[in-house]
Amino acid sequence: MCPGRYTAPVTAKRGDGSAPDPRLEAILAALCADGGRATVQRRIVVSALLAGPRHVTAEDLAATVRARHPDIATSTIYRTLEALDRQGVVQHAHLGHGPAVYHLNDTDHLHLVCESCGRVVEVPGSAYQAFARLLAEDYGFSVAPHHFAVQGRCATCGGQPEVAGRGGAVGA
């Protein structure tokens, strides 16, 4: 809750329905630090984000929220995601040709996407350090690799041909 403002209590249950997620209040505090408010609607959106899958599109998050709270406007969900992105609480990434996905920015990681099966593999940000250093030293270019995924083939698919329509599918 933002200092000096009243909002009704909403607790975010973990994905398995257990105790409330302790990250909820910290995330709402970040929204307040950005000059925003911790409204009931924002609490519901953040709670759904915390309880949902690791990578979620704005459309999927909106469908989840609106299934239980049809009075929450889709624009509120998008504005909340934008504010969380600005604060560094979530990151959005393009895993392929579909819509961007959002995920909590709780670990420094990058995405690999299998062009054949659509599997998403998270790799530590350190995996890109040598490549980033090479680009900086040889080309004077500073990369921001978190925004896009690297496409390729996972170990399971290896040399199998790409399945039509699967490139960039979200598998995690």
Side-chain angles (χ1 to χ4, degrees):
M1 164 176 348
C2 298
R5 296 192 173 112
Y6 172 77
T7 56
V10 175
T11 57
K13 297 284 186 184
R14 295 179 191 260
D16 62 3
S18 62
D21 193 316
R23 299 173 293 177
L24 176 64
E25 293 304 322
I27 292 171
L28 293 172
L31 286 171
C32 293
D34 190 35
R37 298 178 315 181
T39 63
V40 171
Q41 293 85 354
R42 282 186 162 189
R43 284 177 169 271
I44 291 168
V45 171
V46 172
S47 294
L49 184 63
L50 290 170
R54 174 90 174 128
H55 298 98
V56 63
T57 66
E59 294 84 4
D60 289 343
L61 183 62
T64 298
V65 168
R66 290 183 50 81
R68 295 192 65 198
H69 304 279
D71 55 317
I72 297 179
T74 301
S75 61
T76 298
I77 297 162
Y78 277 88
R79 283 193 306 272
T80 300
L81 286 171
E82 288 171 8
L84 292 170
D85 198 6
R86 256 192 329 273
Q87 283 296 310
V89 174
V90 299
Q91 283 185 337
H92 76 275
H94 298 273
L95 301 182
H97 299 291
V101 297
Y102 291 82
H103 60 89
L104 293 173
N105 190 15
D106 51 1
T107 61
D108 181 25
H109 69 276
L110 305 162
H111 302 98
L112 307 177
V113 178
C114 180
E115 296 172 323
S116 185
C117 69
R119 179 173 174 228
V120 177
V121 178
E122 291 183 3
V123 297
S126 60
Y128 280 69
Q129 286 177 348
F131 180 61
R133 195 170 29 259
L134 171 87
L135 293 177
E137 291 171 0
D138 292 358
Y139 300 97
F141 192 82
S142 176
V143 296
H146 295 89
H147 193 73
F148 293 99
V150 173
Q151 304 287 316
R153 299 273 195 282
C154 70
T156 303
C157 294
Q160 296 178 10
E162 179 180 338
V163 176
R166 289 297 304 202
V170 178

